[in-house]
Amino acid sequence: MGQVAAGNPGGCGFLGEHVVRMLLQREPRLCELRIFDLHLGPWLDELKTGPVRVTAIQGDVTQAHEVAAAVAGTHVVIHTAGLVDVFGKASPETIHEVNVQGTQNVIEACVQTGTQFLVYTSSMEVVGPNVKGHPFYRGNEDTPYEAVHRHPYPCSKALAERLVLEANGRKVRGGLPLVTCALRPTGIYGEGHQIMRDFYHQGLRLGGRLFRAIPASVEHGRVYVGNVAWMHVLVARELEQRAALMGGQVYFCYDKSPYKSYEDFNMEFLRPCGLRLVGTRPLLPYWLLVFLAALNALLQWLLRPLLLYAPLLNPYTLAVANTTFTVSTNKAQRHFGYEPLFSWEDSRTRTIRWVQGVESSSQ
Ligand SMILES: NC(=O)C1=CN([C@@H]2O[C@H](COP(=O)(O)OP(=O)(O)OC[C@H]3O[C@@H](n4cnc5c(N)ncnc54)[C@H](O)[C@@H]3O)[C@@H](O)[C@H]2O)C=CC1
Ligand SMILES: C[C@H](CCCC(C)(C)O)[C@H]1CC[C@H]2[C@@H]3[C@H](O)CC4=CC(=O)CC[C@]4(C)[C@H]3CC[C@]12C
């Protein structure tokens, strides 16, 4: 196959930027890249001088005609656009519109304009943690788990993933079949991770300390953003040759990041930046956290007419942080030869350097 054009709705987000840079660095056949996003980043300008034609298109995935115009003529679409909101900033309707209707629009755009390959960024949240708080311990893509959601974000990701998988095999313009596949990252970390930045600033405000809220025994799956981006690029590359095997499949995104609690994992980066985690056990009893999370939810609802109150702690984030969810799989390696591009040491060093940069840029 010769030169290819690719489209990336969501290319200006945390993951999207890494996918864009990875495509430009590691996909020699790429001749054109269309980056489609609601908010275009200023960093895009520096990409426009290279050998690949980079087109930045400001647009909204909920507008079908805008998506179709952006996607037309591309060979493969990597759809990383989404509304990642577990804090109640956006309404459930908006989350559904962006994540579900937006994904339907991307699928229809591929079908109408003849784009044959679609890679969708799904999420571990499609599986769990579920509302019953069942642990998912070192699970893989075939591990049975009762996936029951109530929160708008996982509900929307599950619906969107289903749309993508069901679209596999649909005929696109020109008569060829659409080949789709969904990648499910666990909690992504790395350069540009907003929540890590928030924890860092919170720690600075608290005099260099963070207080343990979750038992160290609760393990949380994490994956480095560079490896998630690399998996997307590999899938986009391999989907054509391995359509029969990969079409309609889901893959967890994984690497060699250690299994740890959410807070202990964050300390891998925040400790070298001068923060410490106080307490070997949670400082507050769990029932009090549950109470405070419920209180936050109530306050959010009461204050909504006046202001947006969206703290980190709410019943949903507490449940996710407090439930073991880790993956152990080699499906991506078996199906398309994935190996993490960045070792744990490298991922850690890059993330620490980035947090240190956040510190100096905010001084
Ligand atoms: N951050 C994480 O830990 C994880 C994220 N994911 C998924 O990865 C994808 C990317 O997430 P992040 O990069 O973390 O989020 P992000 O918020 O940094 O990036 C999402 C991008 O989508 C764009 N976008 C949002 N609404 C849009 C609209 N209506 N039209 C066009 N563009 C729109 C945003 O402007 C942003 O650039 C999402 O689909 C998310 O569900 C999956 C697992 C974990
Ligand atoms: C914000 C949570 C940590 C604070 C907990 C507190 C208040 C007790 O200290 C985060 C813990 C787990 C995170 C989620 C997880 O990594 C899985 C995700 C996958 C996605 O697709 C989107 C993001 C997220 C839901 C992520 C969001 C923040 C946490 C809930």
Side-chain angles (χ1 to χ4, degrees):
M1 187 186 45
Q3 300 251 290
V4 295
N8 183 195
C12 290
F14 165 43
L15 172 62
E17 178 175 349
H18 285 265
V19 169
V20 162
R21 293 187 188 278
M22 187 67 72
L23 278 168
L24 295 174
Q25 281 165 20
R26 300 248 168 197
E27 190 43 79
R29 296 169 313 147
L30 191 69
C31 62
E32 185 184 357
L33 179 57
R34 310 251 187 89
I35 300 162
F36 177 83
D37 204 297
L38 205 50
H39 307 288
L40 297 179
W43 54 273
L44 288 172
D45 290 336
E46 83 197 48
L47 307 179
K48 291 183 179 156
T49 50
V52 175
R53 179 141 66 99
V54 176
T55 317
I57 305 159
Q58 196 272 325
D60 187 340
V61 282
T62 67
Q63 302 302 311
H65 63 285
E66 293 184 11
V67 186
V71 158
T74 57
H75 175 79
V76 57
V77 165
I78 301 179
H79 173 32
T80 60
L83 193 46
V84 186
D85 182 20
V86 290
F87 305 112
K89 292 180 185 167
S91 69
E93 293 75 25
T94 309
I95 293 174
H96 182 93
E97 209 186 332
V98 174
N99 292 351
V100 184
Q101 188 56 48
T103 300
Q104 184 65 47
N105 290 343
V106 172
I107 295 167
E108 294 307 328
C110 291
V111 169
Q112 281 163 25
T113 66
T115 298
Q116 218 201 322
F117 302 99
L118 171 60
V119 185
Y120 172 62
T121 317
S122 180
S123 169
M124 72 179 232
E125 295 269 305
V126 162
V127 180
N130 62 19
V131 288
K132 297 179 179 172
H134 292 155
F136 187 85
Y137 182 75
R138 313 277 201 267
N140 64 31
E141 290 82 352
D142 299 317
T143 303
Y145 187 80
E146 202 183 331
V148 192
H149 310 292
R150 257 186 242 126
H151 192 278
Y153 175 75
C155 288
S156 71
K157 294 301 285 185
L159 279 173
E161 184 189 91
R162 194 172 342 134
L163 292 175
V164 168
L165 301 180
E166 284 174 0
N168 184 59
R170 273 183 73 181
K171 294 275 179 293
V172 304
R173 185 179 177 184
L176 291 168
L178 179 64
V179 186
T180 68
C181 139
L183 300 187
R184 293 174 173 168
T186 53
I188 308 174
Y189 70 93
E191 304 95 304
H193 185 206
Q194 182 59 43
I195 301 178
M196 186 80 76
R197 199 182 276 152
D198 294 346
F199 274 114
Y200 179 64
H201 287 131
Q202 190 183 45
L204 290 183
R205 280 196 301 274
L206 295 171
R209 291 166 304 174
L210 285 167
F211 297 92
R212 187 184 293 281
I214 303 295
S217 56
V218 177
E219 288 182 354
H220 199 84
R222 303 294 285 269
V223 60
Y224 176 61
V225 66
N227 288 324
V228 180
W230 175 230
M231 245 178 112
H232 281 70
V233 171
L234 266 186
V235 171
R237 186 187 292 168
E238 296 297 326
L239 260 187
E240 182 162 13
Q241 297 302 318
R242 305 176 197 229
L245 177 67
M246 293 170 64
Q249 293 288 323
V250 296
Y251 300 93
F252 277 121
C253 294
Y254 57 90
D255 60 15
K256 301 268 169 50
S257 302
Y259 301 115
K260 280 179 184 265
S261 77
Y262 193 79
E263 290 166 325
D264 285 298
F265 191 85
N266 287 351
M267 289 315 290
E268 291 283 342
F269 320 106
L270 300 179
R271 196 174 294 110
C273 298
L275 300 195
R276 67 192 177 91
L277 184 62
V278 178
T280 48
R281 294 214 217 121
L283 253 65
L284 300 178
Y286 187 65
W287 65 263
L288 187 53
L289 278 180
V290 171
F291 173 77
L292 292 174
L295 186 66
N296 276 342
L298 178 67
L299 283 174
Q300 180 172 76
W301 182 75
L302 289 174
L303 294 172
R304 196 169 288 273
L306 303 171
L307 57 94
L308 180 65
Y309 177 65
L312 278 186
L313 178 65
N314 65 44
Y316 183 72
T317 57
L318 179 60
V320 176
N322 199 49
T323 308
T324 287
F325 195 103
T326 50
V327 303
S328 172
T329 172
N330 63 0
K331 183 174 176 183
Q333 191 266 325
R334 285 186 283 113
H335 280 207
F336 53 93
Y338 164 77
E339 291 294 343
L341 192 59
F342 302 92
S343 66
W344 158 239
E345 289 70 27
D346 208 1
S347 310
R348 185 171 172 272
T349 308
R350 285 167 177 264
T351 308
I352 293 169
R353 253 193 238 133
W354 172 76
V355 179
Q356 285 166 341
V358 168
E359 177 182 21
S360 52
S361 64
S362 63
Q363 270 170 359

